[in-house]
Amino acid sequence: MVPFHTEQQAVNSLDYLPPPPTEQSPGFTNDKGAYLNGYALKGSPRWHQATGDANLSPANIAKIFSPILGVTISESTTPATWYMLRNMLIVTRYAPAAAKKYYMRTRPFVVYGHHSCESSSQEAGMRKDGSYPSGHTTFGTAFALMLAEAKPDKARELAKRGWEFGQSRVVCGAHWQSDVDAGRYVGAVEFAHLQSISQFRLVLEQVKQELNR
């Protein structure tokens, strides 16, 4: 698959995002409070939702958003939407990459010596990856915005689920609240950037046709 754009062609997140909150700032106090509130949900239905949201496989994302759309997203039934999903999973990794690599912020579950909602093997990888901004949230925001444009009658429900998808990263303990807040903005910037790419616009028209048949 050829991505809609390369990492070098992404809007550089380091150019527009402010630094994450410092440890003595009110912002970090808010981050800690949000983390502890999320950790208190461990074992609850919301924790289990966050665990499901952590899985970025195309099949799992399709399972999350299909009921809202009233359309089953799959490679066979909605090939354009499936292609869009897989391509956006790639380019939304590029969008936050510069800031992630620069700040290399330590994730909350590491700071607190807890476990997140993810597996031990996934946690090992996250320890080596910067927390700010949230890549999951970048994807969830951009993908929900794309679906809302394709199927505007479901925009309210899609926006709500996209918001929850990002907030799951705080519940999961994988990200600070400020990571998620920044990820939402990066996702919006990425979605705006994609609108300037002819191949994205072409596929989006195909997605509209599939989801509104």
Side-chain angles (χ1 to χ4, degrees):
M1 173 180 292
V2 178
F4 291 128
H5 64 76
T6 66
E7 184 171 344
Q8 292 70 33
Q9 292 168 331
V11 180
N12 190 320
S13 54
L14 192 58
D15 287 345
Y16 62 84
L17 283 181
T22 59
E23 289 190 6
Q24 305 304 319
S25 69
F28 191 60
T29 299
N30 181 66
D31 277 349
K32 290 187 290 185
Y35 171 77
L36 292 173
N37 287 338
Y39 192 73
L41 295 172
K42 192 168 187 176
S44 71
R46 185 64 182 90
W47 175 271
H48 292 303
Q49 179 183 326
T51 302
D53 288 351
N55 180 354
L56 285 181
S57 70
N60 187 62
I61 300 302
K63 181 180 177 182
I64 289 170
F65 285 97
S66 290
I68 301 171
L69 297 166
V71 177
T72 300
I73 300 172
S74 73
E75 188 172 10
S76 59
T77 59
T78 56
T81 308
W82 186 260
Y83 177 90
M84 176 69 85
L85 165 56
R86 291 181 59 231
N87 207 313
M88 289 189 72
L89 281 167
I90 296 171
V91 295
T92 54
R93 289 204 311 267
Y94 299 155
K100 269 183 170 288
K101 292 174 184 176
Y102 182 81
Y103 291 113
M104 282 303 295
R105 191 182 193 190
T106 305
R107 293 174 185 267
F109 77 89
V110 178
V111 171
Y112 280 89
H114 293 160
H115 285 292
S116 71
C117 69
E118 305 213 39
S119 68
S120 297
S121 60
Q122 289 168 320
E123 284 188 352
M126 289 194 296
R127 289 173 186 273
K128 302 174 185 177
D129 183 40
S131 185
Y132 178 88
S134 165
H136 273 72
T137 305
T138 298
F139 166 76
T141 300
F143 190 64
L145 287 170
M146 182 280 297
L147 290 175
E149 181 170 337
K151 199 163 176 64
D153 59 310
K154 296 293 184 181
R156 179 180 177 276
E157 296 91 336
L158 290 163
K160 182 176 184 292
R161 191 62 181 90
W163 183 276
E164 290 175 352
F165 191 87
Q167 205 59 33
S168 285
R169 301 309 285 163
V170 178
V171 176
C172 185
H175 285 283
W176 303 102
Q177 183 65 57
S178 54
D179 301 338
V180 168
D181 294 343
R184 289 182 175 127
Y185 191 65
V186 176
V189 170
E190 172 62 18
F191 182 63
H193 176 49
L194 286 169
Q195 300 282 351
S196 70
I197 299 171
S198 59
Q199 180 63 14
F200 172 81
R201 296 197 305 270
L202 174 64
V203 178
L204 180 58
E205 287 304 312
Q206 296 169 349
V207 171
K208 290 178 181 179
Q209 293 173 23
E210 284 185 346
L211 298 184
N212 293 285
R213 279 200 291 251

